[in-house]
Amino acid sequence: MKTTVTIVLTYVLLVLLMRYRRDGMDWGPALLIGLLATPLALLLSWGRERLNGKARRAGERARARRRGEEAE
C-alpha cells in the first residue's frame, strides 16, 4: 500500500509541476511525460538512498577502526 501511494503521489506531483510551472504545458503532454518521468524519479531516489546508506556504513566502519586503533 505504501508503495502504491508513493507512486501515485509522485506521478501527481510531477504532472502538476509540469502543468503549472511558469511556461506550463497542456494536460495531455504533462500526463504522458509524467508516466515516463515517475519511474525515473523513483529510481533516482532509490539510488540516492542506497548510496547514502553505503556511505553511512563506510563511515561507521572507519570510526570503529579509528576507535580500535586509539584503544591500542
Side-chain angles (χ1 to χ4, degrees):
M1 184 69 175
K2 180 182 172 185
T3 304
T4 305
V5 170
T6 302
I7 291 170
V8 169
L9 287 177
T10 303
Y11 175 72
V12 168
L13 180 66
L14 287 172
V15 169
L16 290 175
L17 282 173
M18 286 184 277
R19 174 68 178 116
Y20 290 111
R21 64 182 183 188
R22 184 172 47 170
D23 54 337
M25 59 179 65
D26 291 334
W27 282 107
L31 292 169
L32 290 174
I33 292 173
L35 284 175
L36 298 173
T38 298
L40 178 62
L42 294 173
L43 180 65
L44 291 174
S45 174
W46 171 80
R48 184 186 65 201
E49 289 176 15
R50 184 168 179 244
L51 286 174
N52 285 340
K54 283 184 168 185
R56 186 183 75 255
R57 287 188 299 275
E60 290 168 356
R61 285 192 306 270
R63 282 190 296 277
R65 244 182 285 126
R66 273 185 267 144
R67 275 187 249 129
E69 292 173 3
E70 292 172 1
E72 295 180 52

